[in-house]
Amino acid sequence: MSLKNHPHTEQAIFDDQEGAESILDKTWLSPPGFLGWFTHVNQRQIGFRFVVTSLIFFALGGLLALLMRLQLVQPENTLMGAEFYHQIMTMHGTTMMFFFAVPAMEGLGIYLVPLMIGTRDMSFPRLNAFGYYVYLLAGITLYLALFLGMAPNTGWFSYVPLAGIDYSPGQGVSFWTTMITFIEISALTAAVELIVTILKQRAPGMTLNRMPIFVWSILVMSFMIVFAMPTVMVGSVLLALDRTFATQFFVASGGGDPLLWQHLFWFFGHPEVYIIVVPALGIVSTVISTFCQREVFGYTAVVLSMVTIGFVSFGLWVHHMFTTGLPHLGLSFFTAASAMIAIPSGVQIFCWIATLWGSKIQFKTPMLFIMGFFAVFVIGGLTGVMAASIPFDMQAHDSYFVVAHLHYVLIGGAVLPFFAGLYYWYPKMTGAMLSERLGRWSFWLIFVGLNLTFFPMHQLGLDGMPRRVYTYLHNMGWEEINFFVTCAAFLMAFGFLLTFINTLISPYKSRAAGSNPWHADTLEWWAQSPPRNYNFRHLPVISSRTPLWQKAPLYKVTGIRADRREIIITTLLDAKPQGVCIMPSPTYWPFVLALTVGFGFLGFMFKPILFVVGFFLSFFAIVGWLWPARPWLAEKPPEDGHPVRGLQ
């Protein structure tokens, strides 16, 4: 297929000329050096940063969890006081839900989706970079608050009236509301970019029913973010107004309604669980297909199941509020919806079993994590069905049973598949294989550790131990289990530590990966490992769902200019070429804009007028962002690797 006759590509065709790769390298170059780091906009750099940063936050959240377990290792422990315990409990939950799980999945999507659909970048590269800096600044600010003793202490859900100014004076909750609003901007920017990229930049011939399942999962996740995240942003802004300007949105004595906060929060909070789980399901399908060397059984059923989960997840939020006194007739609908979501989840599990059935499974490390996912996620799903029952929920509400269920779902449904994806795509990202021996040790320690940690918590909950308590009395019958759980938590943490060590040493000690070490079928393995700045020398034309397993070689698109950042735009359903789009070049302005927006948000906490100052500073940053420049390389491209100038 050729686009040579397209009106936008009539001149300067470099594809078949000698040195075209060199020109492509310069065109898509990410400037080197410390200052150059702040100008990068390429999807691979930004996606990789999201993944690495989220893993750092995962480690920090894990350390906080170990501190909590040390406090609970024995009754009436004096290792820390109630205030500090509540701060690290809040920081642990906030870190894992807002700063690890969602950004990690988005990071994988940002890195992999353009490669899997055969394009060279995301639709809005500068917006992509802006989203990362917002995420980074929000995380750094929140942890600075912890080190300054100003961290929030009301839990990751910040229920009112506890989070109101009367019961939580000081800046802790203000930090939480500000940073939550701030980081959701990052999530929304990534979601919008992913939706546009997937719908309009697929390689010619990649119709919707040829799209990889992982890309489908990212698309579903992105739409869920667009509909779910604004509610928590609205809620946190209203809470900030209550605290700063004495408005009464959540104050019962002033005519407000504390339950409104719970509705707003859980309308976001429950879909967020599936925002995390749905891309993990895409990882499961991808890894199973590769290590069975066959297509996933029931492609259409698997895709429709993910879409169904996305829809139904918005009808579950009230099952977090069964004990708040809402009308019983209404609660019964949410019980039905909570149980109904097990149906599409079950369909996918049966499709994966059918794929595994009769195949020669290669039990490499990624596949071990997927097997662990099956066991842990099914247990979490079954306890979820139990918690969806109103009578049972009223007994187990706010007990350690819920803590056990939550961690089985999130670690089983998201963390294990994410680590499977990390072992699976690490060779593509770095060009080196991870150590299989360390990987297997890591998996078994994590798998055994998490079951020994969280399964006994079901019993703790049934014995009446409430969650969110910093200590407990002697003779409650909880001592032995808490001691056992704390020891098991360190075993699980050691398993995660082995994977971190593995990722750090493997680039220096492991063998080179090659472009397709797993003999996988999706397009990211068609690129070099790690991919070049421009992802693909030629953009591919797709004629099947498994392009790298087909016997015939891939057709290639010609007619794309090499001296400017061009991508192909295709139709939404059939991926027919529509035109060429020129992408923007590296710049400092996304970083500057993130600073000015952050200044406005943080300034609002101390002096509301500073929000207005931040608004005007942001306006000037946006002007600089949009300032026009030449979209093509200078006549004599620099030979020394300095930033390429003259690009729009």
Side-chain angles (χ1 to χ4, degrees), residues 9-346:
T9 59
E10 288 177 349
Q11 53 181 333
I13 308 299
F14 288 92
D15 293 74
D16 299 322
Q17 296 177 11
E18 190 176 348
E21 286 195 10
S22 171
I23 297 173
L24 275 170
D25 261 330
K26 291 186 172 75
T27 301
W28 292 88
L29 176 70
S30 293
F34 176 74
L35 293 179
W37 190 88
F38 295 96
T39 68
H40 292 184
V41 295
N42 283 19
Q43 127 270 340
R44 286 187 306 100
Q45 277 85 4
I46 302 301
F48 190 75
R49 288 180 195 179
F50 263 108
V51 172
V52 171
T53 309
S54 66
L55 284 171
I56 292 172
F57 281 121
F58 178 73
L60 292 173
L63 289 174
L64 295 177
L66 291 179
L67 284 176
M68 292 163 61
R69 287 313 319 168
L70 283 176
Q71 169 63 19
L72 296 173
V73 70
Q74 62 182 17
E76 300 186 62
N77 197 355
T78 57
L79 178 66
M80 62 183 76
E83 171 64 22
F84 185 61
Y85 180 87
H86 290 143
Q87 286 190 11
I88 63 172
M89 178 195 72
T90 303
M91 289 294 295
H92 167 72
T94 303
T95 300
M96 292 305 192
M97 297 303 289
F98 293 100
F99 290 91
F100 163 64
V102 176
M105 294 302 179
E106 285 188 324
L108 273 184
I110 290 169
Y111 190 98
L112 292 168
V113 162
L115 287 162
M116 291 179 117
I117 64 174
T119 187
R120 285 179 171 157
D121 207 340
M122 300 280 287
S123 293
F124 309 110
R126 290 183 178 182
L127 193 63
N128 201 17
F130 169 73
Y132 171 72
Y133 294 125
V134 165
Y135 162 54
L136 182 65
L137 291 174
I140 291 173
T141 304
L142 201 61
Y143 269 84
L144 278 178
L146 176 64
F147 291 119
L148 294 175
M150 299 167 66
N153 58 359
T154 51
W156 74 278
F157 32 78
S158 253
Y159 278 168
V160 292
L162 177 63
I165 194 70
D166 292 337
Y167 298 98
S168 297
Q171 296 293 355
V173 176
S174 298
F175 265 110
W176 188 89
T177 57
T178 304
M179 289 305 103
I180 292 306
T181 309
F182 197 43
I183 194 174
E184 299 310 343
I185 295 175
S186 169
L188 284 169
T189 58
V192 169
E193 296 164 57
L194 286 164
I195 290 171
V196 177
T197 302
I198 292 170
L199 295 183
K200 294 302 295 178
Q201 286 183 224
R202 300 194 309 279
M206 185 179 280
T207 56
L208 284 181
N209 67 347
R210 290 174 183 164
M211 212 162 70
I213 290 177
F214 178 74
V215 179
W216 268 110
S217 70
I218 294 294
L219 183 63
V220 173
M221 175 199 75
S222 302
F223 273 111
M224 292 175 70
I225 288 174
V226 169
F227 286 102
M229 296 295 183
T231 59
V232 74
M233 291 176 70
V234 169
S236 57
V237 168
L238 296 183
L239 181 56
L241 291 175
D242 272 8
R243 293 177 56 83
T244 307
F245 295 112
T247 56
Q248 306 290 307
F249 291 106
F250 305 122
V251 182
S253 60
D257 185 357
L259 278 187
L260 173 62
W261 167 259
Q262 292 198 33
H263 282 293
L264 288 172
F265 185 84
W266 288 117
F267 187 80
F268 140 83
H270 202 88
E272 196 199 16
V273 172
Y274 294 96
I275 286 171
I276 298 164
V277 168
V278 165
L281 302 179
I283 295 172
V284 173
S285 294
T286 305
V287 172
I288 286 179
S289 174
T290 295
F291 289 99
C292 291
Q293 290 292 291
R294 58 166 60 168
E295 282 190 64
V296 170
F297 179 85
Y299 172 92
T300 306
V302 171
V303 171
L304 289 179
S305 295
M306 288 192 295
V307 175
T308 305
I309 289 173
F311 273 110
V312 177
S313 68
F314 282 91
L316 310 183
W317 83 94
V318 173
H319 87 207
H320 294 270
M321 302 166 62
F322 281 163
T323 58
T324 57
L326 293 174
H328 278 226
L329 179 62
L331 297 185
S332 60
F333 289 104
F334 290 94
T335 293
S338 302
M340 189 168 65
I341 207 162
I343 297 173
S345 304

Side-chain angles (χ1 to χ4, degrees), residues 395-451:
Q395 295 298 316
H397 190 80
D398 268 349
S399 73
Y400 259 79
F401 186 93
V402 180
V403 177
H405 161 68
L406 172 72
H407 285 84
Y408 261 91
V409 170
L410 290 180
I411 296 181
V415 176
L416 292 182
F418 177 79
F419 273 71
L422 188 67
Y423 276 89
Y424 180 67
W425 281 301
Y426 184 89
K428 179 54 60 184
M429 293 179 173
T430 65
M433 300 295 290
L434 284 170
S435 164
E436 270 293 301
R437 177 179 295 178
L438 277 178
R440 289 171 183 273
W441 272 102
S442 174
F443 164 74
W444 284 112
L445 288 171
I446 292 171
F447 183 74
V448 173
L450 80 89
N451 279 290

